[in-house]
Amino acid sequence: MPDELKRRLGVPDAVLIGLGAMIGAGIFASLAPAARAAGSGLLIGLALAGVVAYCNATSSARLAALYPASGGTYVYGRERLGAFWGYLAGWAFVVGKTASCAAMALTVGSYIWPGQAHTVAVAAVVALTALNYTGVQKSALLTRIIVAVVFAVLAALVAALLTSGAVDTARLGVGSDATFGGVLQAAGLLFFAFAGYARIATLGEEVRVPARTIPRAIPLALAITLIAYAAVSVSVLLVLGPDGLAAAGAPLMDAARATGANWLVPVVQAGAAVAALGSLLALVLGVSRTTLAMARDHHLPHALAAVHPKFKVPHRAELLVGAVVATAAATSDLRAAIGFSSFGVLAYYAVANASAFTLTRAEGRPARIIPVVGLAGCLVLAFALPLPSVLTGTAVLLAGATVYGLRRRSTA
């Protein structure tokens, strides 16, 4: 059919797209604010974020295998909980991840050319939107290259840190500065660095044999990411300690400087820029596919549901997303974008877990404890975020619910 996407992606490409979304600028930027919140309890926060991410990933994988269509939790919520919950998940994803796109674009700009960060950010958005427009296979190829570069940089950094004379194992101890609320807030901030595995699910209509591919790809991508983040976090803590990490402006570069490995500083700087490009690429893919799904159901203008006859991509949705992200990247603040995005993404996964809870055994439901822990974890971490992020995120969700109600009333 002309308005359906073509299934091109196998397990390796799906895993790489998930890795491209997760192994991004989050690990380069989120450690310092998380350390300020949790202190010496940073690794506990990382573990908590990993547990919630695992539950979310498992729920998303089971649902994506059952509903292999573009849109991810927008589709799952609609099918399992009702039209409103699907809409709210889609709204939270599109708005929150648009903010993430702007944050990643600004990260690219700040590393490549700090004095012209907004200009570089807009150029990056335009270039990657053009790449996505020409087909998802080219995007998967570039993602493979980016993931390889970022893993090489992180591996070089971890090796340099662990073999340096600056390592002190006492810095891993948990002291009285680690409070319960601080650990929860750190987990919410670190969750930003994990949020990306569902990009595989939002591309469900472009994955070959989705019932087999998606359940394999999502947990594999998450496991690789968790191992990488744990290795980086432990090695940086061993060198900088909780206080040094909390005070760091660019923690991975500061850790490299602390070991005397000055040659590694520009390598890490370049790796951060490449990682942010990878995240931006995967984010634009995911947001445009959810926009496509919502447009098909007339929750967004139906013209956005068009699929390009040659490239088999939702070209109008991609162009609109690119234009909105470019505008946001030219005008927005990086820190506010990250906090707002975290709240929206946690709300999105809360709906995913609630949807997974309704699955029957015949439909491949996970153990009941998984969606229960995932749902509770998402809600707790969302409201443990800094107050401005909570207030802004809540206001945006209420605005989306109001739009839905007005639309239903006008079409009744």
Side-chain angles (χ1 to χ4, degrees), residues 275-336:
L277 279 170
S279 291
L280 178 59
L281 175 64
L283 282 166
V284 172
L285 277 171
V287 174
S288 62
R289 269 55 179 183
T290 302
T291 301
L292 165 72
M294 296 182 73
R296 283 172 170 170
D297 293 339
H298 299 275
H299 288 308
L300 292 174
H302 190 62
L304 297 174
V307 175
H308 196 282
K310 177 180 178 182
F311 299 122
K312 297 300 180 182
V313 297
H315 58 296
R316 291 177 183 171
E318 287 187 345
L319 290 176
L320 176 64
V321 169
V324 172
V325 172
T327 302
T331 59
S332 65
D333 173 74
L334 177 60
R335 293 181 181 178

Side-chain angles (χ1 to χ4, degrees), residues 218-290:
I218 289 179
L220 183 56
L222 178 61
I224 294 171
T225 301
L226 181 57
I227 292 169
Y229 282 3
V232 172
S233 300
V234 169
S235 60
V236 171
L237 273 176
L238 286 169
V239 171
L240 295 181
D243 293 338
L245 179 55
L252 302 195
M253 286 195 292
D254 289 355
R257 289 191 187 96
T259 66
N262 292 328
W263 63 270
L264 192 54
V265 175
V267 175
V268 173
Q269 186 176 22
V274 172
L277 279 170
S279 291
L280 178 59
L281 175 64
L283 282 166
V284 172
L285 277 171
V287 174
S288 62
R289 269 55 179 183
T290 302

Side-chain angles (χ1 to χ4, degrees), residues 77-380:
R78 181 191 66 198
E79 296 297 323
R80 309 301 306 191
L81 304 176
F84 171 74
W85 294 106
Y87 166 84
L88 194 65
W91 176 273
F93 182 87
V94 170
V95 177
K97 284 302 186 179
T98 298
S100 290
C101 289
M104 292 302 97
L106 286 167
T107 302
V108 174
S110 65
Y111 275 95
I112 292 178
W113 192 359
Q116 296 292 330
H118 289 281
T119 302
V120 175
V122 172
V125 172
V126 171
L128 293 185
T129 299
L131 178 72
N132 284 338
Y133 192 96
T134 60
V136 71
Q137 280 185 313
K138 292 185 178 66
S139 299
L141 175 61
L142 180 59
T143 298
R144 184 182 290 114
I145 296 170
I146 289 172
V147 168
V149 169
V150 175
F151 266 115
V153 170
L154 292 179
L157 175 68
V158 170
L161 296 181
L162 294 181
T163 57
S164 73
V167 168
D168 183 354
T169 56
R171 293 173 177 146
L172 296 182
V174 179
S176 59
D177 61 324
T179 64
F180 181 71
V183 169
L184 287 180
Q185 187 172 116
L189 293 168
L190 288 167
F191 187 83
F192 174 80
F194 281 106
Y197 42 83
R199 203 74 65 253
I200 301 166
T202 60
L203 297 171
E205 201 170 314
E206 294 158 273
V207 172
R208 295 194 301 268
V209 198
R212 184 178 73 242
T213 299
I214 295 174
R216 290 180 180 178
I218 289 179
L220 183 56
L222 178 61
I224 294 171
T225 301
L226 181 57
I227 292 169
Y229 282 3
V232 172
S233 300
V234 169
S235 60
V236 171
L237 273 176
L238 286 169
V239 171
L240 295 181
D243 293 338
L245 179 55
L252 302 195
M253 286 195 292
D254 289 355
R257 289 191 187 96
T259 66
N262 292 328
W263 63 270
L264 192 54
V265 175
V267 175
V268 173
Q269 186 176 22
V274 172
L277 279 170
S279 291
L280 178 59
L281 175 64
L283 282 166
V284 172
L285 277 171
V287 174
S288 62
R289 269 55 179 183
T290 302
T291 301
L292 165 72
M294 296 182 73
R296 283 172 170 170
D297 293 339
H298 299 275
H299 288 308
L300 292 174
H302 190 62
L304 297 174
V307 175
H308 196 282
K310 177 180 178 182
F311 299 122
K312 297 300 180 182
V313 297
H315 58 296
R316 291 177 183 171
E318 287 187 345
L319 290 176
L320 176 64
V321 169
V324 172
V325 172
T327 302
T331 59
S332 65
D333 173 74
L334 177 60
R335 293 181 181 178
I338 289 176
F340 171 71
S341 173
S342 294
F343 188 92
V345 172
L346 285 163
Y348 172 85
Y349 284 121
V351 176
N353 283 294
S355 301
F357 186 80
T358 68
L359 293 174
T360 65
R361 190 177 300 276
E363 291 172 320
R365 79 180 184 203
R368 290 292 193 189
I369 190 65
I370 289 177
V372 170
V373 171
L375 175 58
C378 285
L379 295 177
V380 169

Side-chain angles (χ1 to χ4, degrees), residues 5-24:
L5 306 178
K6 190 171 182 179
R7 299 193 183 278
R8 302 172 183 265
L9 306 176
V11 172
D13 284 332
V15 169
L16 284 164
I17 286 174
L19 289 175
M22 286 185 282
I23 302 290

